[in-house]
Amino acid sequence: MKRFLNKLFVFTIILVFFIISTGSFKYYTLVIGVIVSAITTYLFESSIVKKTLRLYDVLKLLYLFKYIVYFVKAEIHAHLELVEIILFNKPIKPAIVAVPYHVESDYGVTLIALTVTNTPGTIVLNIDTNSKLMYIHWINASTFNPDEARLIITSGFEKLVEKIFG
Amino acid sequence: MIKRDVLVAFSLSLLVLSISLIIWLEGYIRIATPIISSLGESYLYYSYNPWYSNYTSFSLNVVSAIIWDYRGFDTFLETTVLMASIIAIYTLLRGFEEKVFLQPKGLSTITKTATKIVIPLIIAYALAIATHGQLTPGGGFQGGATLAVISSLIIAVYSLEFLYYMGYRSKRLVVIRGLCLIGLIIVAITPLLIGFILNTKSYIFQNMSKEDSFISMPSFLFDAPLAGSIFFYNVFELLIVFTGLTTALMLLSLRDVELKKAFEVREVYE
Amino acid sequence: MNIVVLPYLLVIICSLTSTFLAYLIVKERNLVVAILLLLGQGIFHSLLYYLLMAPDLFITYIPVSVGITPLLLFLLIKKTEWREYD
């Protein structure tokens, strides 16, 4: 079967979700779950996972774990910075900066944008897919140069994301 | 929103609190009484009770048993009322035409990607609610409403154009809806037909065997109670509610170009 | 505090907050803000259904109040006006 691993991946996720949401592990649930997830996989598999998966893609889960650790570190750092601003009245310099990105896949862009928005102090306002620019609102803009801003805000995430989805 | 409004709203909620305290302290109502009325007790006792196979409906979810078995005709008419409301929208917008333009635009890549992941999970959850309607809380209407969230999400995130691209047309949806209503009727009159062929007594909307008629829908599938017709009713109701709500959403989000003829028709009638 | 009392306290808080929000929704002139407040009220109502032991209504009310009603009202505002005049 073409793209067998893709289909298996989507099928397993939907089946596990089905069983968790019903909360029962009977043959009845299993049979109906298999039918439902087969239909859903058939309908949505090509749009969800665009590139063909291979067996060694399992190793990318390790990078995902690394990403989570890196993300938590960045989150704590950003929180401390914001606490400093709130408690000790540190001067701020809010600005909207255009930051270029070099990730190809949709999932990579989404993950970076959501992470940047989730860390306090920076919010992604808009994404321009043609010129590959992210417009980020930054509470303490230390630079207006796009490449320097990229080094400070997104480059750490981008390296890991390229390894996961690239 | 000014300060005065907030104060008035706060005092209003305090008024509600004081009125309910007075009612409670004077003993006009009781909160969560342990006493159940005898009718409710009989429903709880018989809705899943294999030892009284003439009275039970083999449904662990008592609400499902009541709305589809004990008073199934009532629920069937409610479903047709939903159909009537869709027909009312059609009459209001008569003369509209669905035009497929160029490419769909929609919102940004981030929103689209996030929605893409969520959609299959919503489908799985909605079907889980509907097919387990006889076992856990939920049923056809709940599943259909959850499934209709998908079309609402697609219209909001990917635009109406994408729904056309996926093959949704309001006329097709109405046809599916009619077919599902016919399916409901067929399930309802199946025991009647079997009784007619076998020349025994049987009832319309009959689920399990009664005292004077032995005809019964399947009560178990594999290892879980299927509750006979309740399962089929739930599946058909899922499709009916989904197509109904999707038709309403699609018709109400039509663009000006598509509605041009409808307005012309209205002017002629005026 | 007795653990049995906790659901009733939550019921009281939810119902009072939804009354509070209802008044604000009626008074609000900006209709977009009014819809967002209505969304908040819908969440409190669905919590009330859950606390008063009606799980099937809870399951129905969440998609209807969070997914479908706001979209319909936003469509309505898009085709008419986004604010209310005297």
Side-chain angles (χ1 to χ4, degrees):
Chain A
M1 203 198 295
K2 244 165 91 183
R3 287 154 66 92
F4 177 74
L5 268 179
N6 286 27
K7 290 194 173 79
L8 191 72
F9 176 67
V10 177
F11 180 83
T12 325
I13 288 180
I14 295 171
L15 185 62
V16 167
F17 183 78
F18 189 93
I19 288 166
I20 290 172
S21 60
T22 52
S24 74
F25 203 72
K26 295 186 163 184
Y27 284 118
Y28 176 76
T29 312
L30 276 179
V31 168
I32 288 180
V34 165
I35 294 169
V36 166
S37 23
I39 294 170
T40 327
T41 311
Y42 174 72
L43 287 175
F44 291 99
E45 182 263 333
S46 57
S47 68
I48 285 178
V49 190
K50 285 231 171 71
K51 71 186 197 74
T52 315
L53 293 179
R54 300 215 182 82
L55 205 57
Y56 66 75
D57 285 346
V58 180
L59 291 176
K60 285 177 178 171
L61 286 176
L62 288 175
Y63 283 113
L64 196 66
F65 183 70
K66 209 176 163 187
Y67 186 87
I68 291 167
V69 172
Y70 187 82
F71 167 62
V72 169
K73 266 187 199 164
E75 188 90 345
I76 291 168
H77 187 72
H79 269 96
L80 285 177
E81 229 168 60
L82 216 68
V83 163
E84 219 175 344
I85 288 169
I86 294 165
L87 288 183
F88 306 115
N89 245 342
K90 216 180 133 196
I92 55 167
K93 198 175 151 197
I96 294 173
V97 198
V99 178
Y101 64 91
H102 304 297
V103 188
E104 293 291 327
S105 63
D106 286 355
Y107 286 106
V109 178
T110 311
L111 190 56
I112 288 173
L114 291 180
T115 335
V116 168
T117 310
N118 205 30
T119 47
T122 45
I123 291 174
V124 176
L125 299 173
N126 195 10
I127 276 191
D128 194 346
T129 38
N130 291 329
S131 52
K132 289 208 159 191
L133 280 176
M134 268 183 202
Y135 293 95
I136 298 179
H137 178 267
W138 197 359
I139 199 166
N140 201 358
S142 52
T143 172
F144 292 121
N145 188 347
D147 291 321
E148 280 176 30
R150 176 172 175 264
L151 271 182
I152 297 172
I153 304 176
T154 56
S155 67
F157 296 123
E158 258 184 53
K159 271 176 207 158
L160 288 171
V161 160
E162 258 176 22
K163 275 176 186 150
I164 300 169
F165 294 110
Chain B
M1 201 193 305
I2 41 176
K3 211 185 238 173
R4 209 193 62 187
D5 280 346
V6 175
L7 271 177
V8 172
F10 188 69
S11 55
L12 200 72
S13 58
L14 281 184
L15 179 75
V16 170
L17 180 68
S18 54
I19 289 173
S20 48
L21 268 179
I22 290 167
I23 292 172
W24 177 52
L25 290 175
E26 289 289 315
Y28 291 122
I29 52 157
R30 269 186 238 128
I31 300 172
T33 51
I35 308 147
I36 309 169
S37 68
S38 53
L39 182 69
E41 208 169 311
S42 78
Y43 280 143
L44 287 175
Y45 188 66
Y46 287 120
S47 82
Y48 183 81
N49 199 338
W51 293 278
Y52 290 87
S53 60
N54 285 341
Y55 297 103
T56 181
S57 66
F58 283 103
S59 167
L60 288 167
N61 182 5
V62 185
V63 178
S64 268
I66 292 171
I67 63 173
W68 282 120
D69 192 346
Y70 297 123
R71 51 184 193 85
F73 197 61
D74 185 73
T75 320
F76 173 72
L77 287 180
E78 272 172 29
T79 312
T80 51
V81 165
L82 229 115
M83 182 89 170
S85 69
I86 301 299
I87 291 169
I89 299 178
Y90 257 98
T91 332
L92 198 67
L93 299 175
R94 67 183 174 282
F96 74 91
E97 47 192 345
E98 291 169 329
K99 283 182 182 163
V100 183
F101 297 175
L102 301 169
Q103 284 141 354
K105 256 187 181 170
L107 299 180
S108 71
T109 328
I110 308 169
T111 334
K112 276 183 183 169
T113 318
T115 314
K116 200 163 75 181
I117 308 170
V118 172
I119 284 175
L121 298 182
I122 294 179
I123 292 178
Y125 183 59
L127 287 167
I129 293 175
T131 51
H132 288 67
Q134 73 275 22
L135 303 174
T136 51
F141 189 84
Q142 283 86 347
T146 314
L147 207 57
V149 170
I150 290 171
S151 31
S152 147
L153 269 179
I154 288 177
I155 288 174
V157 174
Y158 287 89
S159 82
L160 181 65
E161 201 69 32
F162 195 78
L163 271 187
Y164 292 156
Y165 171 73
M166 283 170 73
Y168 284 67
R169 296 285 187 285
S170 50
K171 272 170 194 148
R172 281 184 201 164
L173 289 176
V174 169
V175 169
I176 295 173
R177 211 173 143 70
L179 286 178
C180 289
L181 263 178
I182 292 169
L184 264 182
I185 296 169
I186 287 173
V187 174
I189 62 171
T190 306
L192 205 68
L193 285 176
I194 296 171
F196 183 71
I197 292 164
L198 296 179
N199 205 8
T200 55
K201 208 175 182 182
S202 60
Y203 300 95
I204 194 166
F205 276 94
Q206 184 179 352
N207 188 1
M208 292 301 146
S209 56
K210 301 275 172 275
E211 255 176 67
D212 50 356
S213 85
F214 60 88
I215 291 158
S216 157
M217 300 293 255
S219 57
F220 274 84
L221 185 68
F222 307 120
D223 53 350
L226 185 69
S229 50
I230 291 178
F231 172 78
F232 301 111
Y233 289 146
N234 272 332
V235 172
F236 283 126
E237 177 84 357
L238 167 94
L239 285 170
I240 288 171
V241 171
F242 167 65
T243 49
L245 286 175
T246 309
T247 322
L249 286 170
M250 279 173 73
L251 288 183
L252 290 176
S253 57
L254 285 176
R255 275 81 54 94
D256 284 347
V257 190
E258 293 162 316
L259 286 171
K260 213 167 140 195
K261 241 181 189 174
F263 291 140
E264 279 170 14
V265 170
R266 194 179 297 163
E267 275 162 16
V268 168
Y269 275 88
E270 278 165 358
Chain C
M1 193 172 66
N2 194 351
I3 198 74
V4 183
V5 182
L6 195 67
Y8 293 108
L9 268 179
L10 278 175
V11 165
I12 289 170
I13 291 168
C14 284
S15 47
L16 290 185
T17 323
S18 60
T19 321
F20 179 78
L21 284 173
Y23 183 77
L24 289 184
I25 291 164
V26 173
K27 285 296 274 187
E28 183 59 57
R29 283 295 161 85
N30 188 344
L31 293 176
V32 179
V33 178
I35 291 174
L36 293 179
L37 288 174
L38 193 70
L39 260 170
Q41 203 199 16
I43 291 165
F44 280 112
H45 276 180
S46 42
L47 235 166
L48 267 178
Y49 281 129
Y50 183 72
L51 289 167
L52 295 174
M53 293 171 212
D56 48 330
L57 284 180
F58 170 69
I59 294 170
T60 326
Y61 203 77
I62 279 188
V64 168
S65 76
V66 178
I68 296 166
T69 321
L71 182 82
L72 283 178
L73 290 172
F74 277 129
L75 284 172
L76 198 69
I77 281 178
K78 196 183 151 197
K79 295 204 168 164
T80 54
E81 278 174 306
W82 65 275
R83 56 184 302 164
E84 205 174 283
Y85 297 104
D86 288 314

